[in-house]
Amino acid sequence: MFQRVTVSVGVADRMLPGELLIPADPAGIVSEVINPTPAAAGLIRWLLAEGGRFESSRTFVESAGQRLIDAGVPLFRLGLTLTHFHPVLRASTSEWVRGTDAREIARPRNMMGSRVFSHSPIAQVMRTREPLRRRLVGPEAEFDFPVLEELRDKGLTDYYVMPLDMGYGLQGGIVTYGSDHPDGFQAHHLHLLDDIAPALAAIGLNILMGKAGQVSLGHAGFFGIGAYAVAIGPAHLGLPSFASLLI
């Protein structure tokens, strides 16, 4: 069973009221996670009950980052990247660093095709849909992606990248976690982050459908109008096929 909650959805840079379907009993979703810790169960309930109520993805990642810290995760940096079906933008990232306001970064398609991005942990996870972790200090440190040295120089000691499976055939997005603790993330921290991933994906889907405009009838409308113009021109107006393409 599901219930409707009122949310704010961003459309054309404006926040408009909308609705989000969430489980009527979040505990039922929690029980589907195998052996969730009390901290993970609390975060899942918070994500499902409150995650769709934020005015923007930036304020969401700020609050989610602080919640993870309160749950004992040594988090320094949190990033939520959502992919788009957009002619110019391939994705957008909401990035939060502890002690600062979150920022939103547009990812144009031409930038996503660059060598720098294509050889990055996020691009790797987008391709494989498998989590990736890299220690950035100590004997286990590994720098097989150029950006990892930059992250180390910014104070990170551990970096964890996870895919978000949103279903419906959507690749959905990527979430990144960075720690500045000398020991990085411990096994129980990673277990917690894995446990909350399905709930985080559900909130990401809401952002993707609403704020990011993933579902857009406008694009389909333009394709349809173009197809009809090409068909009607030669059949009813006596136009050459090539001329119909210019309509």
Side-chain angles (χ1 to χ4, degrees):
M1 297 294 293
F2 290 82
Q3 61 179 329
R4 293 183 181 273
V5 297
T6 302
V7 298
S8 294
V9 176
V11 178
D13 297 327
R14 294 185 299 150
M15 300 309 298
L16 302 178
E19 290 185 329
L20 170 67
L21 284 175
I22 65 170
D25 179 17
I29 299 299
V30 173
S31 67
E32 293 183 6
V33 178
I34 299 175
N35 298 322
T37 63
L43 283 166
I44 293 170
R45 292 190 181 95
W46 175 79
L47 283 166
L48 295 176
E50 303 294 334
R53 300 177 186 272
F54 290 90
E55 62 181 15
S56 70
S57 56
R58 293 189 300 275
T59 55
F60 168 70
V61 296
E62 288 174 359
S63 186
Q66 191 57 54
R67 286 270 178 170
L68 285 166
I69 290 174
D70 293 343
V73 179
L75 188 68
F76 179 69
R77 175 172 168 165
L78 171 65
L80 178 63
T81 297
L82 301 174
T83 57
H84 300 278
F85 292 145
H86 189 278
V88 177
L89 293 180
R90 179 67 177 88
S92 61
T93 299
S94 297
E95 182 182 86
W96 172 80
V97 176
R98 190 180 64 232
T100 68
D101 294 333
R103 60 173 183 158
E104 188 158 354
I105 307 167
R107 308 287 189 185
R109 289 186 177 274
N110 57 358
M111 186 200 76
M112 300 282 277
S114 69
R115 186 181 183 281
V116 172
F117 178 80
S118 62
H119 193 57
S120 70
I122 291 180
Q124 174 78 1
V125 173
M126 282 184 170
R127 288 190 294 265
T128 65
R129 308 309 296 172
E130 294 291 337
L132 181 149
R133 181 196 183 189
R134 291 293 184 268
R135 293 283 290 144
L136 304 181
V137 296
E140 298 179 354
E142 185 177 357
F143 300 97
D144 50 339
F145 299 97
V147 71
L148 295 179
E149 294 186 16
E150 179 183 339
L151 294 175
R152 178 203 57 195
D153 294 343
K154 290 182 177 179
L156 268 65
T157 60
D158 206 344
Y159 189 58
Y160 189 44
V161 187
M162 289 187 64
L164 295 178
D165 181 9
M166 298 178 182
Y168 304 101
L170 298 174
Q171 283 195 351
I174 303 288
V175 60
T176 63
Y177 302 98
S179 176
D180 62 346
H181 190 279
D183 297 327
F185 298 120
Q186 300 301 303
H188 64 281
H189 299 138
L190 299 177
H191 184 63
L192 182 150
L193 298 177
D194 290 343
D195 281 350
I196 68 171
L200 185 58
I203 302 307
L205 180 62
N206 178 59
I207 296 171
L208 196 63
M209 295 287 189
K211 180 179 182 300
Q214 179 76 71
V215 175
S216 173
L217 298 180
H219 296 88
F222 283 121
F223 278 117
I225 292 171
Y228 273 109
V230 171
I232 292 173
H236 299 283
L237 302 178
L239 295 175
S241 298
F242 179 77
S244 297
L245 292 174
L246 303 178
I247 296 178

